[in-house]
Amino acid sequence: MTTTVVLRGVGVSPGRRAGVVARMPDPLPAPSTEPLPPGTDLPAAADRVDAAATLVHDTLVAAAATARGEAADVLAVTAEMAADPTLVDEARRRVLETSATPQRAVWDAAAVVVDGLLALGGMFAERAGDVRDVRDRVVATLTGAPLPGVPDPGTPFVLVARDLAPADTARLDPDAVLALVTEGGGPTSHTAILARALGIPAVVAVPGVDALRDGDAVLVDGSVGEVVRDPDADAVARAGRRPARPTRLTAPGATADGLPVALLANVADPAGAHVAAAAGAEGVGLLRTEFRFLGRTVAPGVEEQVDAYRQVLAAFPGRKVVVRTLDAGADKPLPFVTARDEPNPALGVRGLRTSWEHPQVLDDQLVAIARAAASSDADVHVMAPMVATVDEARDFVDRCAVHGLPVAGVMVEVPSAALRAGRLLAHAHFASIGTNDLTQYAMAADRELAGLARLSTSWQPAVLDLVAATCAGGRERGRPVGVCGEAAADPALAPVLVGLGVTSLSMTPRALPDVAAVLSTVTAQRCRELADVALDADGADEARAAVRAALPVLADLGL
């Protein structure tokens, strides 16, 4: 007789699915330490390292070119890691000076890079997993071993892993992967963000995933964060009865009593803009412009940027498109605006701060945005990331005006901006809350660390207090306040945000119909009551559970 076992983690992508487990394969074993035979052509052996790294880089770049949104960004960043001369040069040195085999040289060189990143801590430490992923791909290329990646059992399955490399998550097939379960990660990790974008139910930060074996039957509930091994037949049947829901937004977002709530899309490139438009998005609440900057050693020219922005704007004639200026730094280092040796890049030169030393990069971008807007029917707004002070808000708005961009806003991602929102909005025309970073900074919790996953959620009452403070500042100045972080895509959290005073929600296009469906069942007053429920909770789990209990529509929709 089988025994039902329930593992609990953090639900990061809603939905319930039942299926059989397929585990990520074991990592590549360390290559032999046996050196190359005497008489080996060492320069030729070292050249094999360059060739393998180049092939891995080119493969990832090609994958990024066919991916969309966050997936494209993740693949581009991983490709940049494969091209990093630090790893290749150290591996070449080991081949030439110690006669190490190319594969062993890459393995040991990667260990040096990883140790250095871990010693630096913070965002640098997060990149250690990317280095290991690139290492395994280069070693597999050198040895002819299968490339690391997601298994393919031939039928739909539940993917279980200790953790997923960003490049693997970016390439998940939602038709094959029923659900995702990982021991690592957090609510705003790349794994969580990409799972939501793909519509794959996911639970992360699950202790004990080693207990799940290939072929085990499991039920994954990404809404409440449960993984049930050997579920009973009734539970499996309920998970299989997924209510039919619209796949696109068919009407403007609003509460049951008609309070408008603009439902917008987060977009990362022209292809993503067309997907968002097809999903019925009312506009774009966040255009990430990094797609034209990642993987480069110099900034793109004005003409190239104009062309790219025009393609996005063309998908939304007559509708709002909020363009975020370059958000480099932290997990998106760019050699032409960020330093490689920052001790704590999450608290370093990122976002708008990169313009302090490199003003021309921002000015060129504003010129390009203005030229693209002038030839478009879209309603173009511009906003700056990582604004922390009133002076920064004022200077950015003035700078935009000089370039002919009359509607300029700020991202609220650090507590100082939330607490002083009224003063910032005396200058900025709108605010957009980036809940991912706001949560990270408010809770002092690295969003990639599984051990901190329960802190790294926008359900934390302290984070909701900061959202409320931002909205109060908006009301004081008569300015709109939106949310463009991952919190906007949570159908249970959306009414709470509206109750706090948020006027627009921008999210992955897949989430639009679900958020609209939930909002259409609650009045504005009910949203305010739910906000009070969440703010009155002592912690995130309590807040989420109380709000979900008050929203039976979530169960009706399979959310």
Side-chain angles (χ1 to χ4, degrees):
M1 178 178 176
T2 58
T3 302
T4 297
V5 175
V6 179
L7 303 177
R8 290 183 170 83
V10 179
V12 296
S13 185
R16 304 177 84 232
R17 302 288 189 275
V20 297
V21 167
R23 293 189 62 92
M24 283 289 289
D26 291 334
L28 286 175
S32 169
T33 58
E34 189 72 21
L36 290 166
T40 298
D41 185 341
L42 296 181
D47 287 344
R48 290 184 60 211
V49 173
D50 290 274
T54 298
L55 180 59
V56 169
H57 169 266
D58 292 348
T59 301
L60 290 167
V61 168
T66 59
R68 293 195 302 266
E70 185 82 15
D73 290 350
V74 165
L75 290 166
V77 170
T78 307
E80 182 183 343
M81 186 71 71
D84 187 345
T86 305
L87 175 62
V88 174
D89 289 351
E90 175 64 16
R92 284 185 60 88
R93 184 191 69 78
R94 288 171 179 270
V95 173
L96 295 171
E97 296 181 8
T98 70
S99 297
T101 62
Q103 56 267 31
R104 185 69 208 191
V106 169
W107 190 272
D108 291 339
V112 172
V113 177
V114 165
D115 288 345
L117 292 171
L118 293 176
L120 289 171
M123 287 286 187
F124 278 122
E126 292 174 16
R127 305 305 299 276
D130 293 347
V131 174
R132 295 189 189 99
D133 180 40
V134 167
R135 173 201 68 189
D136 289 350
R137 292 173 187 275
V138 174
V139 169
T141 301
L142 286 165
T143 60
L147 285 173
V150 177
D152 182 11
T155 58
F157 60 97
V158 174
L159 179 61
V160 175
R162 285 184 177 273
D163 207 349
L164 282 178
D168 287 327
T169 314
R171 300 166 95 168
L172 292 181
D173 179 0
D175 291 329
V177 181
L178 297 170
L180 177 62
V181 179
T182 67
E183 187 174 43
T188 57
S189 64
H190 286 303
T191 297
I193 292 169
L194 290 167
R196 281 191 288 271
L198 293 167
I200 299 174
V203 183
V204 302
V206 183
V209 295
D210 285 346
L212 301 177
R213 301 296 182 189
D214 284 337
D216 282 351
V218 293
L219 188 153
V220 179
D221 190 328
S223 301
V224 300
E226 288 186 350
V227 181
V228 182
R229 191 180 69 183
D230 297 318
D232 61 56
D234 287 344
V236 172
R238 288 194 300 273
R241 292 195 296 269
R242 299 194 292 272
R245 302 199 302 273
T247 57
R248 68 185 307 276
L249 196 62
T250 57
T255 61
D257 55 342
L259 176 69
V261 182
L263 299 182
L264 312 170
N266 294 339
V267 167
D269 53 32
H274 291 291
V275 170
E282 296 180 55
V284 174
L286 170 61
L287 170 58
R288 302 181 179 99
T289 56
E290 291 76 49
F291 71 97
R292 273 290 169 247
F293 292 81
L294 290 173
R296 308 175 69 130
T297 57
V298 296
V302 170
E303 291 298 332
E304 181 182 344
Q305 293 186 59
V306 170
D307 179 64
Y309 303 149
R310 279 176 178 159
Q311 293 181 55
V312 174
L313 300 181
F316 290 92
R319 286 178 280 176
K320 180 167 73 172
V321 176
V322 181
V323 183
R324 183 181 69 186
T325 56
L326 180 62
D327 189 21
D331 60 340
K332 295 187 287 290
L334 293 175
F336 47 90
V337 290
T338 58
R340 295 181 56 86
D341 57 353
E342 283 188 337
N344 191 344
L347 301 178
V349 179
R350 56 173 302 198
L352 183 62
R353 299 171 184 178
T354 61
S355 67
W356 298 352
E357 294 294 329
H358 304 279
Q360 192 61 47
V361 174
L362 176 59
D363 284 330
D364 285 351
Q365 187 170 29
L366 294 178
V367 168
I369 296 168
R371 286 177 52 185
S375 61
S376 167
D377 294 329
D379 179 18
V380 178
H381 299 199
V382 186
M383 65 181 178
M386 288 297 290
V387 172
T389 69
V390 174
D391 286 346
E392 290 172 2
R394 181 195 303 112
D395 291 346
F396 179 74
V397 172
D398 291 346
R399 201 168 191 165
C400 288
V402 167
H403 289 288
L405 294 164
V407 185
V410 295
M411 292 279 290
V412 174
E413 299 166 281
V414 295
S416 66
L419 295 171
R420 304 284 284 180
R423 292 180 180 268
L424 269 66
L425 288 168
H427 306 281
H429 300 101
F430 66 92
S432 186
I433 302 173
T435 50
N436 300 358
D437 272 325
L438 185 61
T439 300
Q440 175 173 239
Y441 293 131
M443 303 306 297
D446 189 326
R447 68 192 220 180
E448 296 287 341
L449 291 182
L452 302 180
R454 284 171 174 76
L455 293 176
S456 301
T457 168
S458 298
W459 281 100
Q460 288 289 350
V463 176
L464 297 178
D465 280 334
L466 292 171
V467 173
T470 307
C471 292
R475 285 191 297 272
E476 175 188 344
R477 300 294 180 177
R479 305 294 202 190
V481 173
V483 168
C484 63
E486 290 302 306
D490 186 337
L493 189 52
V496 172
L497 298 174
V498 172
L500 294 173
V502 168
T503 57
S504 65
L505 298 168
S506 190
M507 65 202 74
T508 178
R510 281 183 177 268
L512 289 164
D514 291 339
V515 171
V518 174
L519 286 178
S520 69
T521 67
V522 290
T523 64
Q525 176 58 33
R526 185 59 175 154
C527 288
R528 288 189 286 272
E529 292 168 356
L530 292 170
D532 288 340
V533 167
L535 289 173
D536 193 48
D538 288 334
D541 291 344
E542 180 185 336
R544 182 191 294 108
V547 170
R548 289 189 63 88
L551 285 171
V553 65
L554 295 170
D556 295 340
L557 294 172
L559 300 171

